[in-house]
Amino acid sequence: MSDRAVSPVTVAEQWKAANLAPLWDSMIAHKDDVALKQATLWPWAQVRPLLEHAMWMTNPDVVERRVLSMRDPSNVSPLDESTVNTLQAAFQVLLPGESARPHRHSMNAIRFVLEGEGAVTVVDGKRCPMQVGDLILTPGWCWHEHEHLGDQPIIWLDVLDVPLHQYFGTVRFQRGPAKALPATLEDEAFGRAHFLPDVEWSSAHSPLFRYSMADAVSALQAIPYQHGIRRVRYVNPLDGRGVMPMLDCYLVELTEGAELRVTRSTSNALCAVVEGTGTSTIGERTIQWRKNDVFTVPQNNWVRHTVASGIARFMMVSDKDMLARLGLLEEETNS
Ligand SMILES: [Fe+2]
């Protein structure tokens, strides 16, 4: 029988001791106002000189990868290294003659080259040259290493789905040397429009590991603008979906003076400016951006992009495809 004479304080203590909590006291349950995260900007003019320090302070032989992570300043826990809820991004630098030894991990990653040329990322034995604007995939559990054969530093943007793996408890990491490489076909085998190899092929990610900026721009230029924007998606040629299960990439072009709409999405995104200058209003924050600036677009914020002059392009990486597959992607336009 229950004892109704017991004090509420005692009841609360008993519940706590039994690892129970009343839902009616919850800070988050039954609330319809979702807290929005603010956008963050990493201006290249500020970041580039700071990367110089990392160039002389250390090297990949010592620290595995010369990387400066990009942290959302609103992260509360020091263990939360995310850049935006589901994505973790960083700047990585390799100097001429350096190499970053092979390893692999369960996290999927993209590399997007911001400055320099002459480096190669080797993914499951396939050599992917890195030029400015190229997107290189290192899908989960693929062996990858980097080597720099050029004569100037190369800097690229890394974006990984680390926060999702931390949540799922699926973080795995293995040092090289690479061994038991899976069978691969050259990118050329999958890179011809209208044709695919007539072979059995099964993997969760695209069999293409390198998407050149030249190809992306040429695809972009073949489509018309809609409301001042045109956009192409980097896809897995085998199924037309995102390049990897939890990372979905786009090249976006904006035009000057076009009527640009305000949009909102349940997806999170991170944008790297390829060319042009402009302004993005993301929720309550307005960001001025230019070439090589990187900014986040946290979910559920209203977003409006405008261009200062001419055209502007940015590469966007998001969790959109994953949310779509889970039935959680909602997108709205307020024009
Ligand atoms: Fe890695």
Side-chain angles (χ1 to χ4, degrees), residues 151-220:
D151 55 12
Q152 297 293 322
I154 186 165
I155 303 170
W156 65 82
L157 175 72
D158 289 329
V159 186
L160 299 91
D161 50 12
V162 172
L164 291 163
H165 283 277
Q166 288 174 319
Y167 180 77
F168 294 139
T170 52
V171 173
R172 284 197 295 152
F173 177 85
Q174 186 178 23
R175 293 183 193 281
K179 47 187 172 287
L181 292 177
T184 54
L185 290 177
E186 289 303 313
D187 275 8
E188 184 71 8
F190 297 95
R192 295 269 176 191
H194 321 305
F195 296 97
L196 286 172
D198 188 21
V199 294
E200 286 290 320
W201 197 266
S202 127
S203 67
H205 56 76
S206 170
L208 282 174
F209 294 155
R210 176 175 183 262
Y211 294 74
S212 78
M213 177 51 75
D215 285 348
V217 168
S218 134
L220 197 62

Side-chain angles (χ1 to χ4, degrees), residues 65 103 105 111 138 144 146 160 173:
R65 300 291 191 263
H103 69 205
H105 36 72
R111 327 287 175 177
T138 59
H144 54 280
H146 312 288
L160 299 91
F173 177 85

Side-chain angles (χ1 to χ4, degrees), residues 63-93:
V63 293
E64 191 81 16
R65 300 291 191 263
R66 183 193 285 109
V67 161
L68 286 183
S69 298
M70 301 155 69
R71 301 277 173 86
D72 178 346
S74 73
N75 292 349
V76 176
S77 165
L79 298 177
D80 182 356
E81 300 184 351
S82 65
T83 310
V84 65
N85 273 1
T86 52
L87 307 172
Q88 186 169 315
F91 297 100
Q92 182 163 173
V93 184

Side-chain angles (χ1 to χ4, degrees), residues 103-181:
H103 69 205
R104 65 177 176 174
H105 36 72
S106 52
M107 289 72 80
N108 297 284
I110 62 112
R111 327 287 175 177
F112 186 73
V113 183
L114 300 172
E115 177 188 306
E117 59 181 6
V120 171
T121 293
V122 184
V123 188
D124 271 350
K126 280 169 67 168
R127 294 180 67 80
C128 304
M130 303 176 82
Q131 308 284 345
V132 168
D134 289 350
L135 181 83
I136 311 291
L137 310 186
T138 59
W141 218 234
C142 290
W143 290 104
H144 54 280
E145 60 193 292
H146 312 288
E147 54 190 71
H148 191 16
L149 312 170
D151 55 12
Q152 297 293 322
I154 186 165
I155 303 170
W156 65 82
L157 175 72
D158 289 329
V159 186
L160 299 91
D161 50 12
V162 172
L164 291 163
H165 283 277
Q166 288 174 319
Y167 180 77
F168 294 139
T170 52
V171 173
R172 284 197 295 152
F173 177 85
Q174 186 178 23
R175 293 183 193 281
K179 47 187 172 287
L181 292 177

